[in-house]
Amino acid sequence: MLTPIREVIKIFILTGAGISAESGLGTFRDKDGLWSRFDPMKLATPEAFAHNPDEVHAFYNMRRQNLLSAEPNAAHRALARLESGLAERGGSLFLCTQNIDDLHERAGSQRVFHMHGELLKARCTACGETMPWQEDLSVEAPCPSCRRSGGLRPHVVWFGEMPLEIDGIYDALLEADLFVAIGTSGSVYPAAGFVSEARGHGIRTCEINLEPSDNARQFDDRRYGPASEAVPAWVEQVLS
Ligand code: NAD
Ligand code: APR
């Protein structure tokens, strides 16, 4: 018997590229997805950046420009409403995203954990400083902090690198009453393993996606449809 949704007060949500698809930002593994047009091993690994920084910068400069002309959609706005609605009743939302866009923040979400980094930030490989960055990045750009050139990279987690804040993310996951995955194919770890971690700790699980993900069978509850429709409908039910 599933806990009535009304008793759920601590929710952990994992979002993926699918929640930003209707804002015009491509996903990775759908038809015409980013990885069907670009080779991630040539653009999203530390080795690629070491061997060809100009090509990697150009790839993320293109994605940064696309992001700056994109807008949050109804799914992002619904999660911002969920965050404030849960807080009003003494509950909490832990919003963990695999996305490197800032659409959750622009929709009004106050606490967002970007486990794969943020496209609108740069990081200096010389001094380690991370800073907001909206312009094109290049090898020549000097670090505003240490002034050295040639060291700035996108503040994005690449294949082969550790995701950010992962210990705090696991702590929050295991304290939740409900784990919800939205718009993710469930094909990249460690995010793809969150649902089995939750199940192993007796936490209810729900998938909201355009179509069944690789992990669909592990979810107690599954809702399918475009995020801009399915997420607001689910949030209204939780808050009603
Ligand atoms: P991983 O094993 O978690 O993921 C590998 C995934 O990369 C595979 O599941 C596959 O879907 C994809 N992949 C690899 N080669 C591909 C190809 N040629 N075409 C299409 N897809 C391909 O990788 P990892 O090294 O453990 O990643 C560490 C962390 O970095 C993970 O959290 C990962 O999600 C993250 N990451 C972030 C970005 C980004 O752009 N933000 C890109 C890659 C990885
Ligand atoms: N509404 C809801 N879900 C959607 C929509 C939509 N409008 N459009 C697509 N989807 C779903 C797809 O069905 C798919 O299951 O979103 C999911 C997108 O999956 P991926 O393209 O694999 O994106 P994601 O799961 O976020 O990738 C995980 O892989 O390359 C790395 O670091 C990168 O963060 C990324 C990680």
Side-chain angles (χ1 to χ4, degrees):
M1 171 63 186
L2 293 181
T3 318
I5 202 96
R6 181 172 295 284
E7 290 168 28
V8 167
I9 55 166
K10 273 189 176 179
I11 302 181
F12 182 111
I13 292 183
L14 171 70
T15 61
I19 199 168
S20 299
E22 290 161 270
S23 296
L25 299 185
T27 61
F28 293 92
R29 296 173 189 88
D30 285 327
K31 194 172 73 61
D32 301 331
L34 219 50
W35 297 149
S36 67
R37 290 177 286 125
F38 298 96
D39 180 354
M41 296 304 122
K42 290 206 174 77
L43 295 167
T45 66
E47 297 75 17
F49 187 63
H51 293 128
N52 201 336
D54 292 333
E55 196 175 337
V56 174
H57 277 313
F59 176 64
Y60 286 96
N61 290 343
M62 173 267 291
R63 293 180 66 188
R64 194 176 296 106
Q65 291 315 311
N66 291 344
L67 172 54
L68 291 174
S69 54
E71 291 297 328
N73 62 57
H76 298 105
R77 291 193 293 273
L79 295 190
R81 281 200 306 280
L82 178 66
E83 180 183 53
S84 48
L86 284 174
E88 282 157 19
R89 67 183 67 178
S92 65
L93 170 63
F94 189 95
L95 180 53
C96 172
T97 186
Q98 298 172 94
N99 299 338
I100 57 179
D101 65 54
D102 67 335
L103 298 181
H104 283 304
E105 291 88 343
R106 281 201 261 151
S109 290
Q110 299 300 305
R111 284 194 344 147
V112 184
F113 293 83
H114 287 269
M115 63 184 289
H116 291 168
E118 298 175 69
L119 188 53
L120 298 184
K121 287 185 179 171
R123 183 165 84 234
C124 178
T125 55
C127 70
E129 276 298 298
T130 303
M131 67 277 311
W133 200 278
Q134 297 212 352
E135 300 74 34
D136 281 0
L137 258 179
S138 71
V139 175
E140 295 75 36
C143 168
S145 173
C146 70
R147 308 305 309 159
R148 273 171 280 188
S149 296
L152 288 181
R153 63 167 274 182
H155 181 50
V156 163
V157 176
W158 286 325
F159 290 110
E161 295 181 323
M162 279 308 290
L164 305 174
E165 307 186 69
I166 195 66
D167 293 340
I169 288 170
Y170 273 120
D171 292 345
L173 175 63
L174 300 186
E175 286 169 10
D177 304 303
L178 175 65
F179 167 70
V180 184
I182 301 175
T184 180
S185 61
S187 60
V188 177
Y189 288 82
F194 288 179
V195 58
S196 53
E197 281 288 330
R199 291 178 64 84
H201 287 79
I203 297 166
R204 282 186 46 230
T205 58
C206 173
E207 168 172 82
I208 303 176
N209 210 51
L210 190 61
E211 61 205 6
S213 72
D214 297 357
N215 290 327
R217 282 189 303 280
Q218 295 192 59
F219 288 90
D220 303 309
D221 181 18
R222 297 164 223 160
R223 303 170 182 224
Y224 297 119
S228 64
E229 296 165 19
V231 177
W234 173 74
V235 167
E236 293 327 308
Q237 184 193 352
V238 172
L239 296 178
S240 64

mmCIF file of all heavy atoms in Angstrom, residues 3 52 106:
data_model
loop_
_atom_site.group_PDB
_atom_site.id
_atom_site.type_symbol
_atom_site.label_atom_id
_atom_site.label_comp_id
_atom_site.label_asym_id
_atom_site.label_seq_id
_atom_site.Cartn_x
_atom_site.Cartn_y
_atom_site.Cartn_z
ATOM 1 N N THR A 3 2.156 4.976 0.622
ATOM 2 C CA THR A 3 1.822 6.060 1.567
ATOM 3 C C THR A 3 1.003 7.119 0.843
ATOM 4 O O THR A 3 1.400 7.554 -0.230
ATOM 5 C CB THR A 3 3.144 6.733 2.058
ATOM 6 O OG1 THR A 3 4.085 5.711 2.299
ATOM 7 C CG2 THR A 3 2.907 7.580 3.282
ATOM 8 N N ASN A 52 42.439 19.317 -27.075
ATOM 9 C CA ASN A 52 41.854 20.268 -28.030
ATOM 10 C C ASN A 52 40.927 21.246 -27.320
ATOM 11 O O ASN A 52 39.705 21.218 -27.518
ATOM 12 C CB ASN A 52 41.071 19.490 -29.099
ATOM 13 C CG ASN A 52 40.922 20.355 -30.339
ATOM 14 O OD1 ASN A 52 40.973 21.581 -30.245
ATOM 15 N ND2 ASN A 52 40.743 19.707 -31.489
ATOM 16 N N ARG A 106 16.039 30.190 -12.593
ATOM 17 C CA ARG A 106 15.278 31.293 -13.246
ATOM 18 C C ARG A 106 13.776 31.105 -13.056
ATOM 19 O O ARG A 106 13.007 32.066 -13.135
ATOM 20 C CB ARG A 106 15.627 31.382 -14.730
ATOM 21 C CG ARG A 106 16.966 32.090 -14.969
ATOM 22 C CD ARG A 106 17.037 32.616 -16.378
ATOM 23 N NE ARG A 106 17.809 31.722 -17.251
ATOM 24 C CZ ARG A 106 17.586 31.622 -18.568
ATOM 25 N NH1 ARG A 106 16.641 32.313 -19.150
ATOM 26 N NH2 ARG A 106 18.333 30.817 -19.291
#
